[in-house]
Amino acid sequence: PQAQAIISMAGGASHDINNLITAILGSVALMRESLGPQSSVESQLSAIAKAATSAAYMAQRMLAFSQGKHRQEQVNFNHIVNRLFLAEEQELAPRVQIFRYIDADLSDVDGDYNLLTQMAIQIAVNALQSISDEGRVVFRTRNVQINEDFAPSNSHFTTGPYIVFSV
């Protein structure tokens, strides 16, 4: 019963979010029309529109989740990690330095690209928020092979290849 309530709430929330996004994108369009393409705030308007578009896609994924539709695809997790804080790096520097140690031969994973992206963003934001003054955030990916020693019979892990994402 609780799981069904959460699923139902996700569907309703996605509709509400879509309504808010429509208002945001409409306001951005009106502001652009009013201010013109050479406006000093064009870059901020573009950032707002980009964020709203990303939120719309997340809302679509929430709706798909509420309807029991999960998209499984081959995902290159390095692509996700390389995009983390890419736009924010200039604003964060020099207070926070971001390092990426990427396994060039990282295996693709089966999963929902958007859910994996949201998971990575949440972990990365938590790391960033833990820095009070100055510091660094290090993203690392690598392949691992799980054997019987690390996959006890009473766990949900099975032996085989995995990827590791650490922050």
Side-chain angles (χ1 to χ4, degrees):
Q2 288 179 339
Q4 187 57 39
I6 291 170
I7 290 170
S8 178
M9 187 173 66
S14 68
H15 287 292
D16 292 343
I17 291 168
N18 273 328
N19 289 339
L20 292 170
I21 291 166
T22 300
I24 292 167
L25 290 174
S27 295
V28 167
L30 290 172
M31 290 177 74
R32 280 183 166 150
E33 185 176 310
S34 173
L35 297 171
Q38 302 303 322
S39 170
S40 62
V41 296
E42 177 56 34
S43 65
Q44 289 90 345
L45 292 174
S46 291
I48 293 168
K50 182 179 177 184
T53 301
S54 294
Y57 196 70
M58 273 195 318
Q60 289 173 349
R61 298 306 308 148
M62 284 176 43
L63 185 59
F65 170 76
S66 73
Q67 296 170 345
K69 300 175 185 172
H70 301 281
R71 183 174 178 184
Q72 292 290 318
E73 58 189 318
Q74 290 287 301
V75 177
N76 180 330
F77 203 78
N78 280 342
H79 182 258
I80 294 171
V81 173
N82 281 325
R83 292 180 48 213
L84 287 174
F85 294 132
L86 197 57
E88 294 84 357
E89 280 188 69
Q90 295 301 318
E91 293 174 31
L92 293 171
R95 188 179 77 78
V96 177
Q97 296 176 310
I98 297 176
F99 297 93
R100 292 173 183 82
Y101 298 101
I102 304 298
D103 182 342
D105 297 319
L106 191 71
S107 300
D108 287 350
V109 295
D110 291 326
D112 184 306
Y113 179 85
N114 293 304
L115 292 177
L116 290 169
T117 299
Q118 290 307 308
M119 178 269 313
I121 288 171
Q122 287 299 321
I123 293 170
V125 166
N126 287 345
L128 186 63
Q129 289 174 341
S130 71
I131 298 172
S132 60
D133 190 28
E134 291 184 358
R136 64 182 169 175
V137 177
V138 178
F139 301 121
R140 186 181 312 265
T141 62
R142 66 186 173 101
N143 290 308
V144 295
Q145 182 72 28
I146 300 293
N147 60 29
E148 292 83 15
D149 296 334
F150 292 101
S153 60
N154 61 349
S155 77
H156 65 278
F157 286 106
T158 58
T159 59
Y162 286 82
I163 68 163
V164 174
F165 168 58
S166 60
V167 180

